[in-house]
Amino acid sequence: MDTKKYFESLSLECDALKDRVRNFIADQHWLTDGEWKESVLRSMIKRSISNKVGVGRGFIVKKEQSSRQIDILIYDNSRPVLYRDNDLIFIPPISCKGIIEVKSDIRKHSLIGILNSLSDKAQFVLDTEPNLSIFVGLFSYDTNYNENDSGAILEALRDSANGNQKRVV
């Protein structure tokens, strides 16, 4: 088996699908374009993830408040789901296995804000469930970063965590 070619084919598939909606609507409705790109990645994850976890989009709900919207929410199928309608889900923090923020494009000037928002969502879960281990990730279809920018990216990741393990992306 050639795993390198397999993963390259996944990248090509993702790249081929990302602009499918934009080709119809151009720049008429960025929200729809973004929702499409999120759904492409959710579908790709669903194909390869264990049946023990579910994949959707939605909110983590505590007694006193809910999180901000989460683009890709990975949750434990053996735990309670408060509400589910197709891909839209509402879960308690204990059910969370992972959160992923999806962006069409990340520019150097916007990375720290995106990471801070994602870190806030991670902390929202882990403040209630401190012993929980969750995946916190960021996916971008495009960027103006290159291989020489890894130091700046690591610095932004460090800054968004602000020394708090609950905020690590």
Side-chain angles (χ1 to χ4, degrees):
M1 180 174 158
D2 190 339
T3 55
K4 183 177 185 229
K5 284 188 178 181
Y6 171 75
F7 287 112
E8 286 174 352
S9 74
L10 288 177
S11 293
L12 291 170
E13 176 186 2
C14 193
D15 195 45
L17 291 172
K18 73 175 182 166
D19 289 328
R20 185 149 300 160
V21 168
R22 187 173 294 181
N23 291 333
F24 285 117
I25 62 173
D27 62 356
Q28 297 300 308
H29 199 260
W30 293 114
L31 181 60
T32 300
D33 183 63
E35 288 172 347
W36 164 252
K37 288 177 177 163
E38 293 166 13
S39 74
V40 166
L41 192 55
R42 275 194 304 273
S43 294
M44 293 179 81
I45 292 170
K46 284 178 188 179
R47 288 194 310 240
S48 60
I49 204 161
S50 166
N51 288 336
K52 294 179 181 180
V53 295
V55 179
R57 63 182 173 87
F59 299 84
I60 298 166
V61 179
K62 295 181 183 180
K63 183 179 178 183
E64 65 280 355
Q65 72 186 92
S66 68
S67 68
R68 297 185 68 198
Q69 188 266 340
I70 297 170
D71 298 336
I72 298 179
L73 188 49
I74 301 168
Y75 58 97
D76 186 338
N77 273 330
S78 69
R79 297 271 186 183
V81 171
L82 302 173
Y83 180 82
R84 177 184 6 229
D85 186 17
N86 295 318
D87 272 353
L88 179 63
I89 59 168
F90 295 81
I91 62 169
I94 191 69
S95 299
C96 184
K97 296 298 254 177
I99 59 177
I100 303 172
E101 184 80 16
V102 180
K103 295 295 181 189
S104 294
D105 193 10
I106 295 178
R107 297 283 146 201
K108 291 179 181 179
H109 67 277
S110 64
L111 179 62
I112 193 68
I114 293 166
L115 289 173
N116 282 335
S117 175
L118 187 54
S119 293
D120 290 345
K121 291 173 185 176
Q123 186 172 358
F124 181 85
V125 174
L126 296 173
D127 277 347
T128 303
E129 299 294 336
N131 296 324
L132 201 60
S133 178
I134 65 170
F135 174 82
V136 182
L138 174 61
F139 180 90
S140 179
Y141 283 92
D142 291 303
T143 185
N144 67 346
Y145 282 97
N146 62 48
E147 61 274 0
N148 297 324
D149 293 320
S150 59
I153 294 168
L154 289 172
E155 186 177 311
L157 286 164
R158 183 199 64 217
D159 291 349
S160 69
N162 198 24
N164 185 341
Q165 283 293 109
K166 295 177 183 176
R167 297 182 57 81
V168 172
V169 175

